[in-house]
Amino acid sequence: MNDRLQALQDAGVSIWLDDLSRERIETGNLAELVKDQHVVGVTTNPSIFASALAKGEKYEPQVKELKASGADVDTTVFELTTKDVHDAADILRPVFDATDGVDGRVSIEVEPGLARDTDATVAMAKKLWEKVGQPNTLIKIPATVEGLPAIAATIAEGISVNVTLIFSLERYRGVMDAYLYGLEQAAANGKDLSTIHSVASFFVSRVDSEVDGRLPEGDPLRGKAALANARLAYEAYEEVFGSDRFKALETQGAHPQRPLWASTGVKDPAYPDTLYVSELVTADTVNTMPEKTLQAFADHGEVSGDTVRGRYDEARQVIADLEERGISYDEVVELLEREGLEKFDASWAELLETVQSELDKA
C-alpha cells in the first residue's frame, strides 16, 4: 500500500480511476490497482471506450460473436461497453460491500447525442442499469438543462447517478436540486433511499485551460480559476447538504451527493502534475484520476491538510479579479459545457467508427 495515497484516502478523498479497458480487467491490472493503489471506483466515458476498443485485441472474440448474431454497430457498442462495466463492477464489488455502497462504483455514460433529450436520456439510463445488472453501477448523465429533469427522474426510479460535465456553480446548484427532488419522488414511490447514491462530477482542469488562454504570460491569476471554481462548488455542497430539506431525506436513509473532481490531469506542463489532487483535498469527495496522475501522486503527491474549506473568500476574489480583467465567468463556463458536449459527440462518433471497422474485419 502506498503511503501518499493512503494519506489522501485518510483525508476523506475516494480515489477513482478515470479509465477502463478489457485489457485492464482480464490481465488483473484493475484488481491490482484496487489492492495496491487504493483505487475504490472507476469512471468511463466515450473517449475512454474509443481508446480501449481501438487498441484492444481482447474485444475481437465478442465482436465476432455479435457479428454472427447480426448485431449492428449500435448494438455492438452497447454490448461491448456494458460487459466491461459489468466485469469491472464484479472486481469492485468487495469495496462496494465494505463501504455500504459509498465506493466500489463503476460509471457508464448515456449516449452523448441524447444530452438534449430528457425522455431519451431517462430511457437509456434505465436500459444501461438493467443491462449491466450490478448494484454498484452509476449511470452518467450530463448536466445540461435538459439533463436536470432526467437526473431527477432517474433517481426517482431508484437508479444511482453520476452527474457529469458540470462547470458552473449555478448549474451545480440545479444538479443538487434535481438530486433532492429525485430523492423526494423516490420516497413517494416507496423506494429505499439508502440504496440510492450519486456523485456530481465537477470538471477542473479545462477551466484553467480556457481562462489561462485569455491571460498574459506570467499573470498571477493563471492557474487559479479552476481551483477557485471547485472550492466554491464545495461551499455550495456544504450549504445544500446541511439544509433542512436534505436532513428530512437523511432521516429516511438518503445519502449526500458527493462532489467528484473530474478532469484532474494537468494540461499545462508548467503546473505541478498533482495540482488538482493536492489542492482539492477535503472530506466526502471523490477524485477521479487518469492513471498517470494517480502514479504521479503515489510517487510525490503531498497531503497538507484540508485545502478546500476555509478558502471560499479567496476563491470568490479570484473570480472577481478575473471579471475585472474582462474575463466573464458565465461566458467561460457556458463555452466549456458546449465544447464538452461536442468532444463527447466526437468521441462517440470515433467509437462507432472503430467498432464498425472491427465488425467489418470480423
Side-chain angles (χ1 to χ4, degrees), residues 152-214:
T154 304
I155 292 291
E157 292 286 337
I159 296 171
S160 296
V161 174
N162 174 345
V163 184
T164 188
L165 214 67
I166 307 171
F167 292 99
S168 85
L169 294 166
E170 180 184 7
R171 183 61 53 79
Y172 178 43
R173 286 187 177 275
V175 166
M176 291 188 285
D177 182 67
Y179 175 60
L180 295 182
Y181 181 70
L183 287 175
E184 288 159 354
Q185 294 302 112
N189 294 341
K191 302 287 186 187
D192 178 358
L193 299 192
S194 70
T195 66
I196 303 170
H197 287 258
S198 184
V199 293
S201 295
F202 212 86
F203 280 49
V204 183
S205 66
R206 293 186 196 178
V207 176
D208 274 344
S209 295
E210 182 59 35
V211 171
D212 287 359
R214 304 179 184 206

Side-chain angles (χ1 to χ4, degrees), residues 21-136:
S21 67
R22 197 157 295 182
E23 179 86 11
R24 283 195 189 279
I25 293 166
E26 294 188 357
T27 61
N29 171 264
L30 179 58
E32 286 171 9
L33 290 172
V34 172
K35 178 175 175 285
D36 299 330
Q37 301 291 323
H38 297 275
V39 168
V40 293
V42 171
T43 49
T44 67
N45 60 42
S47 301
I48 286 169
F49 279 128
S51 175
L53 285 156
K55 297 181 289 194
E57 294 175 0
K58 291 189 178 293
Y59 294 96
E60 287 178 10
Q62 191 183 4
V63 170
K64 285 179 179 173
E65 187 180 303
L66 287 162
K67 183 177 182 178
S69 72
D72 62 13
V73 66
D74 291 306
T75 301
T76 303
V77 168
F78 182 79
E79 294 292 333
L80 293 174
T81 56
T82 52
K83 175 171 169 49
D84 277 1
V85 171
H86 175 278
D87 293 350
D90 265 347
I91 294 168
L92 271 297
R93 184 60 188 263
V95 177
F96 172 84
D97 292 337
T99 61
D100 292 327
V102 173
D103 284 313
R105 296 278 173 174
V106 185
S107 297
I108 186 169
E109 188 157 342
V110 297
E111 184 181 331
L114 306 179
R116 302 292 188 192
D117 187 329
T118 301
D119 292 342
T121 294
V122 175
M124 181 53 76
K126 290 181 184 175
K127 187 178 177 184
L128 287 167
W129 180 261
E130 288 164 8
K131 177 65 179 178
V132 175
Q134 299 270 39
N136 52 329

